[in-house]
Structures are given as C-alpha cells and as structure tokens.
Amino acid sequence: MSSDRIPRHIAIVMDGNGRWARKKGLRRIDGHRAAEKSIHEAVEWCGEKGVQFLTLFAFSTENWKRPRTEVSFIMSLLSSFIRRNIDDLDRRSVKLRAIGRLEALPPGPRADLDAAIERTSRNTGLNLVLALNYGGRAEIVDAARRIAVEVLEGRLAPDGITEESFSSRMYLPEMPPPDLVIRTSGEQRISNFLLWESAYSEFVFPEVLWPDFSKTHLDEALAVYSARDRRFGGLADGEDS
Ligand code: FPP
C-alpha cells in the first residue's frame, strides 16, 4: 500500500466503554480502565504506520453531566494514565498535546498533563493529542472571542477574518485536519468532536466497543479509508467532462 494513503491525522471517538463493562457485569468505570489497552494499540499502530497526529476524544464539554463519581474517576484515570505511560511515550518519541478548555480540569490532572506535555515537547514522533473538556462548538466560540479581541484592539481588520485566520485561532493551529475520524461502538454521530476540522474528513464507524479495539480494527479502517475517493468538493481525477 503506498504511503500517500496513510492518513496524516486520525481522530478517534473512543465510545462503548460503559456498554463493554455492562456486558461483562462490571461497573462503567471498569470499562474506562480497560480503555488503556486500546489506546496503546492505537499509539503503537500509528507509530508503525507513520501517522503524524492521533487525536483521542477523552472527555467532552458535555461529559460533566455524568455522575460525579464517574467524572472524578475519569479525571484520576487521566493522571494515572499519564504517570503509567509517560516513560514509554517519551521513549517512542511521542509528543503529547491537548486540546480543550484545559483551565477547567482539576489541578492535579492538569499539572500531570502540563508536565507530560513539557517533557515530550521536543519529541519528533507521533503527536498524541488528548481532547479534554473539549467541544467543537466551544473551540469555535473560543476562536471567535480571540478574533473579537484582536479586532477590538485594532490588531485585525474585519476583512482579515478568513477561513485561514480563523483556523489559526483554533486550539492547535499546526494540527492538520483529520483525514480519518473513527467512532467505535456502532454509534454514528460526531458528538461535538472537531466540528471545524472535520469538514472533509472520512468517517468510519466500526461496531467494536472501544476496550476491544485493536490494531486489526485499525487495519480494517485503513483499508476502508484507502478505498475512498476524496474529492474535497472537486471532481475525481480524470473526471472533467
Ligand atoms: C465513551 O464511552 C468514553 C468516554 C466518554 C470516556 C473516555 C475516557 C477514557 C478512554 C479514559 C480517559 C482518557 C485517558 C487518555 C486516560 P461511554 O462511557 O460513553 O460508553 P457507553 O456509550 O457504552 O456508555
């Protein structure tokens, strides 16, 4: 398979942890705990294939509505995930990044996250982007606020508000748009994930629940992606009459 069919950026909605746990007679939090193995699979696979960016939807701006115990479990899992994996990620030259309203994360997980981002900031391998307290609408609103301040202060003219200047006010402007968005568990929704960036993404919805997700599912998603004809609003190659 030629490397031009390898997506530069894969974004994943890791859905189905709760259902996986229920099916096994476990608690929802056990499903979140089991998610870590699938994250390893995805990170390794992306490293092997030369994918540049892997974004994982770990916690949405809407997820605060979940029971308080589940929210605090996910936050503590974030800390323990970072502590358990930071040496290995660093060894693999993974560069950890994060998008979202990070200032609202609890101080402990936030500090662990900041330290891991700083420690891996000079790495040159896979960019692993965690979407935390992330919402696509919130990101667009935050960009609009930044732009409004710049216009108000005379640093940007209204005519200077373009798709490019808007994109450059997103949380991680250097992140290319996702070529492939995967949502596990069979649900077929975007759920406020990367709304601006996914305008021309290809979507794949494997039935597998996230804790059962493995490199095989990524191979399958890649095969589907490679067979897609991406036209970005234009015509297919050679189709000009
Ligand atoms: C979706 O499954 C999963 C989440 C909303 C949380 C995802 C969190 C993690 C994988 C762990 C934290 C992240 C890191 C990086 C350590 P669901 O609970 O909505 O499943 P369901 O639809 O079956 O209920």
Side-chain angles (χ1 to χ4, degrees):
M1 188 175 296
S2 69
S3 63
D4 62 348
R5 299 307 293 173
I6 298 289
R8 215 160 35 128
H9 180 183
I10 298 180
I12 306 183
V13 181
M14 307 181 287
D15 198 8
N17 297 342
R19 274 165 285 166
W20 180 92
R22 287 270 171 262
K23 272 172 62 177
K24 291 188 151 12
L26 303 168
R27 298 162 302 169
R28 293 180 53 78
I29 58 169
D30 296 315
H32 297 317
R33 192 178 280 131
E36 190 168 323
K37 189 173 68 62
S38 304
I39 295 176
H40 289 162
E41 294 267 311
V43 168
E44 276 181 28
W45 187 92
C46 286
E48 287 160 14
K49 300 287 179 193
V51 173
Q52 292 172 23
F53 281 80
L54 171 65
T55 300
L56 300 175
F57 203 2
F59 195 83
S60 78
T61 46
E62 289 72 36
N63 285 152
W64 299 104
K65 289 185 240 167
R66 294 187 176 213
R68 209 157 47 91
T69 48
E70 184 173 341
V71 170
S72 37
F73 182 82
I74 293 177
M75 290 302 158
S76 67
L77 193 60
L78 173 63
S79 276
S80 52
F81 170 83
I82 291 171
R83 283 158 188 246
R84 263 195 303 272
N85 292 284
I86 186 63
D87 288 341
D88 182 56
L89 292 173
D90 200 20
R91 205 164 29 241
R92 290 173 190 276
S93 200
V94 169
K95 185 168 179 169
L96 190 72
R97 331 282 294 259
I99 53 174
R101 290 183 171 164
L102 306 177
E103 64 282 0
L105 296 177
R110 176 76 201 274
D112 289 327
L113 181 68
D114 286 346
I117 290 173
E118 168 55 27
R119 173 165 163 194
T120 61
S121 61
R122 283 163 296 280
N123 287 348
T124 54
L126 173 71
N127 289 272
L128 175 60
V129 184
L130 300 181
L132 292 160
N133 193 25
Y134 174 86
R137 289 180 175 176
E139 182 177 26
I140 293 168
V141 166
D142 288 351
R145 282 187 188 153
R146 261 178 239 149
I147 285 176
V149 169
E150 290 176 44
V151 170
L152 212 67
E153 293 176 349
R155 289 185 283 124
L156 184 69
D159 282 355
I161 305 175
T162 61
E163 291 189 17
E164 289 71 28
S165 64
F166 214 94
S167 291
S168 71
R169 270 81 174 174
M170 292 287 154
Y171 293 138
L172 215 53
E174 66 272 35
M175 178 176 87
D179 303 292
L180 172 63
V181 178
I182 300 172
R183 181 176 188 143
T184 56
S185 91
E187 303 288 349
Q188 302 194 359
R189 284 188 296 279
I190 190 155
S191 297
N192 204 10
F193 189 41
L194 301 177
L195 295 183
W196 175 270
E197 297 86 344
S198 65
Y200 284 103
S201 301
E202 297 295 331
F203 287 78
V204 174
F205 300 104
E207 293 287 329
V208 60
L209 303 173
W210 178 252
D212 290 328
F213 189 79
S214 68
K215 291 181 184 177
T216 307
H217 300 102
L218 278 161
D219 287 336
E220 287 167 7
L222 180 64
V224 172
Y225 169 82
S226 301
R228 296 259 176 97
D229 179 20
R230 301 189 77 197
R231 293 194 294 276
F232 299 93
L235 297 178
D237 282 349
E239 193 189 5
D240 57 0
S241 56

